[in-house]
Amino acid sequence: MSGTPRQILGDRLRDALKAAGFDPVRGDVSASADMRFGDYQSNAAMVLAKEKKSNPRQIAADILSRLDVRGISAAPEVAGAGFLNFRLESEFLDSALGALAADPRLGVATAKIPQKILLDFSSPNVAKPMHVGHIRSTILGDCLARIARFLGHEVITDNHIGDWGTQFGKVIYGWKHFLDREALARDAIAELVRLYREVNRMEETDEVVRRVAREELVKLQAGDAENLAIWKETVELSWREFEKLYGLLDIRFDERLGESAYNDALAPLCEELQRRGIARESEGALCIFYPGIPALAEKPAIIRKSDGGFLYATTDLATIEYRLKHWRPDAIWYVVGAPQALHFQQIFAACRMMGIEANLVHIAFGSILGEDRKIMKTRSGENVGLAEVLHEAVDRARKMIAARQEGLTPEALESIAETIGIGAVKYAELSQNRHTDYVFSWEKLLALDGNTAPYLQNAYVRIRSIFRRGEVGADPGAAIRISVPAERLLAIKLLQYAETVPVVLEDFRPNILANFLYELANTYHSFYEACPVLKAEPEVRASRLLLSELTARILSHGLSLLGIRCPEKM
RNA sequence: GCACCCGUAGCUCAGUGGAUAGAGCACCGGACUUCUAAUCCGAUGGUCGCUGGUUCGAUCCCAGCCGGGUGCGCCA
């Protein structure tokens, strides 16, 4: 007998439905929201009663008479309008937790059909600092990559950085005329931003600067060696700055193919699309129209400007073509903000017209708003830098720990502070439904109390402390002895990890996992208050040690899927 | 004008057809000679924007409306 309680009960229920002559598709079982209604419940009888226009309680009784859940659940009761309520038996909990303890995957099955997934996220712009607006794509994308890999998918992460664009005319002009090498060495992006802003300001009043900056851009695009070298250096310097933050965030990419990688593909792509009749000229520009799609009927995508220049949409289409040719992925996932929904609708529709069959998904997320409830945008100049947020988070965590833990080496203190501070920032993002817009607040991102990463980490630390203090390990073969409700709740929660992780990818919602881990930590904290571990009688002690050990493993593992680490002390 | 997202406790948010809608923060009352109190236990707090519809059952699905955000032919 293997699988989660939900699977096992579901299988048994489907057997009973089949035997009773009902459609087994209706045989779904879910965890009960309320303990009074058992641990698991099914509303199959009510669904079937609707279809057959008959009495749900009678159907429930029919199902019950054919249902064999011996060894798993007590005989279910029919309740309310026709619910079947299951209550897991102690023997089942014991054997299921034994299996969990022996399973390195903690019960989580791999995907039935492993996919090759190209995952596009983060994508900062060169010569600009990453700000809090980049947080969601970066953290969400990394988390989805971790979870997809754990579930057995092949994932290629690609950071599609903004390394090409009109801003380089200004940056190159500034570089040539008033670059401060020392400042560049100190903080490359700050210096590049200064150059950009300086030139921008000069252009407002100086015709010549505007003209020369534009010429620098044209020279760059034409392959001028000097400008190309400057451009390349700005890209590398920027990347090094980004890597500091990615390092702090514990995030790595397999590929870093920026927009510039597709420059040579843009003109041929446009010609091909025009030749195939997918794109046609309109008012001097080359456009893709969507007459077959009502929502896009009035919204063509421009892929070549009337001056011959290419756009964002062109690069994205060329990027898809390259990715398909190069990696042959089953799916491409874009972790990009909701404001770009229309853009992706257009791009994906164009892909279908081109005959592309890969599963293209825009994993949209809500915007981070400023105090005025307007989207925080780069040009507002009011942006809070991502680096500032991360450093502030680590600072706050460091103060908190220093006040509680004495005798830590500076290195240990720093390591814990990073684990706690960065974890708090990541959790604040991941624990929230991705569609929700929210107003940026330091307090929200840096909170260390309540439903936060430190709360989950604390549960883990308490467990490690038990094992340190008791100088024991858990016996994975120990029998689970349930004597009080807190133990039972914890045991069932542990089994539900396997039911939770795969659901995250159904709609790309890490907050489902975050919420589960919060509930697990909460359940453990209650258990911790109610159930002494080390002082318990030998059999109970062994059982509680095993429950604790499993909790620690799942907390640590679940947090690692969110990209968050666990300290041993805090 | 068209399209997408959102509207749930004082505040911030979970909850995408099931039973009496949940957390955190804030506020109030308890629990540290105890395995880490970054914790636990309890109290207070709701016309789930409004109106209809579908359903045995709707915060959830459908229609309309109100309110907020965002996007929409030559930025990325």
Side-chain angles (χ1 to χ4, degrees):
Chain A
M1 185 158 54
S2 67
T4 68
R6 184 181 169 193
Q7 280 166 349
I8 296 167
L9 289 170
D11 287 346
R12 297 302 177 89
L13 179 63
R14 282 182 283 275
D15 288 346
L17 291 178
K18 238 180 287 176
F22 296 118
D23 182 358
V25 168
R26 305 298 169 211
D28 200 20
V29 170
S30 60
S32 301
D34 190 322
M35 265 199 76
R36 282 169 304 169
F37 305 129
D39 304 315
Y40 285 82
Q41 63 175 250
S42 173
N43 50 31
M46 277 130 57
V47 176
L48 286 164
K50 185 190 283 197
E51 287 175 4
K52 308 234 175 233
K53 301 199 192 310
S54 63
N55 183 336
R57 290 188 66 100
Q58 181 56 51
I59 289 181
D62 287 351
I63 296 170
L64 257 187
S65 68
R66 322 248 173 179
L67 185 62
D68 178 9
V69 288
R70 278 174 300 177
I72 306 160
S73 159
E77 38 191 271
V78 179
F83 294 98
L84 289 172
N85 293 338
F86 299 91
R87 193 177 159 78
L88 301 177
E89 289 183 337
S90 299
E91 295 74 20
F92 173 77
L93 290 178
D94 188 2
S95 69
L97 287 161
L100 198 61
D103 184 357
R105 292 187 57 84
L106 295 160
V108 184
T110 51
K112 287 194 189 76
I113 306 167
Q115 304 256 298
K116 187 191 275 190
I117 299 156
L118 194 295
L119 187 47
D120 180 319
F121 68 98
S122 197
S123 310
N125 289 318
V126 160
K128 291 181 188 168
M130 275 205 265
H131 54 89
V132 287
H134 293 103
I135 253 182
R136 298 191 96 169
S137 173
T138 304
I139 292 175
L140 188 56
D142 175 61
C143 171
L144 292 171
R146 290 170 188 265
I147 293 175
R149 282 185 178 129
F150 177 60
L151 292 178
H153 300 293
E154 182 184 346
V155 179
I156 300 149
T157 55
D158 185 12
N159 198 344
H160 190 68
I161 58 174
D163 63 357
W164 198 253
T166 49
Q167 77 269 27
F168 285 104
K170 296 174 192 186
V171 172
I172 290 171
Y173 181 94
W175 183 289
K176 288 183 177 174
H177 291 85
F178 38 82
L179 176 66
D180 178 346
R181 279 277 170 191
E182 230 170 79
L184 191 72
R186 202 164 45 239
D187 184 343
I189 289 179
E191 174 62 4
L192 293 173
V193 168
R194 186 186 72 86
L195 296 179
Y196 177 84
R197 287 197 181 143
E198 190 65 26
V199 175
N200 224 17
R201 191 159 44 238
M202 291 168 72
E203 284 190 347
E204 281 171 20
T205 54
D206 194 332
E207 192 73 31
V208 178
V209 174
R210 202 180 318 161
R211 183 172 52 76
V212 177
R214 205 157 38 220
E215 282 168 8
E216 297 291 7
L217 176 65
V218 172
K219 278 166 71 181
L220 171 67
Q221 290 168 335
D224 174 81
E226 185 188 6
N227 284 12
L228 218 46
I230 293 171
W231 166 75
K232 217 170 173 178
E233 197 170 350
T234 64
V235 173
E236 279 319 306
L237 289 171
S238 298
W239 180 254
R240 263 180 244 168
E241 296 284 331
F242 296 154
E243 281 211 305
K244 287 182 197 165
L245 294 183
Y246 290 137
L248 199 51
L249 288 166
D250 194 17
I251 291 174
R252 277 167 288 277
F253 294 88
D254 300 317
E255 303 288 342
R256 194 194 102 197
L257 290 169
E259 292 165 353
S260 66
Y262 306 96
N263 287 344
D264 296 341
L266 304 181
L269 174 66
C270 286
E271 283 157 26
E272 187 204 336
L273 290 173
Q274 193 166 14
R275 195 177 58 244
R276 291 174 58 185
I278 294 169
R280 66 176 164 84
E281 283 198 4
S282 168
E283 297 171 32
L286 187 62
C287 303
I288 300 176
F289 289 92
Y290 307 96
I293 303 170
L296 295 180
E298 310 266 316
K299 307 196 189 302
I302 299 179
I303 57 171
R304 192 177 63 210
K305 298 191 284 185
S306 49
D307 70 2
F310 303 107
L311 298 108
Y312 181 33
T314 330
T315 310
D316 268 6
L317 285 172
T319 303
I320 291 175
E321 280 216 309
Y322 175 85
R323 287 170 173 173
L324 290 172
K325 202 178 300 172
H326 199 76
W327 289 293
R328 302 206 164 280
D330 301 298
I332 304 178
W333 295 351
Y334 294 86
V335 187
V336 179
Q340 295 189 46
L342 176 61
H343 167 74
F344 283 107
Q345 240 185 308
Q346 292 173 324
I347 295 298
F348 296 169
C351 285
R352 285 190 289 276
M353 289 159 77
M354 291 160 71
I356 289 167
E357 287 174 359
N359 182 24
L360 305 171
V361 187
H362 175 206
I363 301 172
F365 52 83
S367 307
I368 299 185
L369 311 176
E371 294 290 334
D372 55 358
R373 294 204 63 88
K374 302 276 187 194
I375 283 192
M376 294 183 102
K377 280 192 170 170
T378 322
R379 42 179 167 272
S380 76
E382 300 292 324
N383 279 327
V384 181
L386 181 53
E388 294 170 54
V389 170
L390 299 182
H391 291 136
E392 175 72 17
V394 175
D395 285 345
R396 290 193 185 199
R398 190 188 301 111
K399 284 186 189 119
M400 191 98 148
I401 300 152
R404 294 167 49 87
Q405 291 278 340
E406 289 171 11
L408 288 172
T409 65
E411 293 76 22
L413 176 64
E414 199 52 32
S415 161
I416 297 170
E418 275 189 17
T419 301
I420 307 267
I422 301 298
V425 172
K426 287 191 177 188
Y427 188 86
E429 285 290 339
L430 294 171
S431 60
Q432 174 175 337
N433 185 310
R434 64 185 166 87
H435 291 290
T436 311
D437 290 348
Y438 70 90
V439 177
F440 173 81
S441 83
W442 287 96
E443 196 186 329
K444 185 181 183 83
L445 273 185
L446 304 177
L448 303 176
D449 286 315
N451 183 0
T452 61
Y455 178 86
L456 314 197
Q457 290 165 328
N458 181 237
Y460 175 85
V461 164
R462 284 177 144 193
I463 296 167
R464 299 262 52 99
S465 182
I466 291 174
F467 288 108
R468 262 199 312 274
R469 190 61 66 97
E471 295 179 339
V472 285
D475 170 12
I480 297 299
R481 296 270 184 268
I482 307 288
S483 52
V484 296
E487 291 172 300
R488 192 161 190 288
L489 288 176
L490 181 60
I492 292 169
K493 205 80 204 166
L494 291 168
L495 295 174
Q496 290 172 344
Y497 183 57
E499 294 171 0
T500 305
V501 177
V503 177
V504 172
L505 289 192
E506 284 176 11
D507 194 31
F508 312 103
R509 288 172 41 189
N511 70 305
I512 290 176
L513 176 57
N515 292 347
F516 169 83
L517 294 173
Y518 174 71
E519 286 170 13
L520 175 61
N522 188 24
T523 306
Y524 187 80
H525 276 131
S526 298
F527 163 89
Y528 183 91
E529 299 285 335
C531 304
V533 176
L534 295 175
K535 288 177 184 166
E537 295 304 310
E539 282 196 1
V540 176
R541 174 179 143 124
S543 168
R544 289 180 178 171
L545 279 170
L546 183 54
L547 288 172
S548 295
E549 167 72 11
L550 281 168
T551 304
R553 281 177 61 197
I554 289 178
L555 281 173
S556 165
H557 189 266
L559 282 170
S560 81
L561 291 181
L562 298 180
I564 297 170
R565 299 179 184 215
C566 278
E568 293 298 305
K569 291 180 184 173
M570 65 189 279

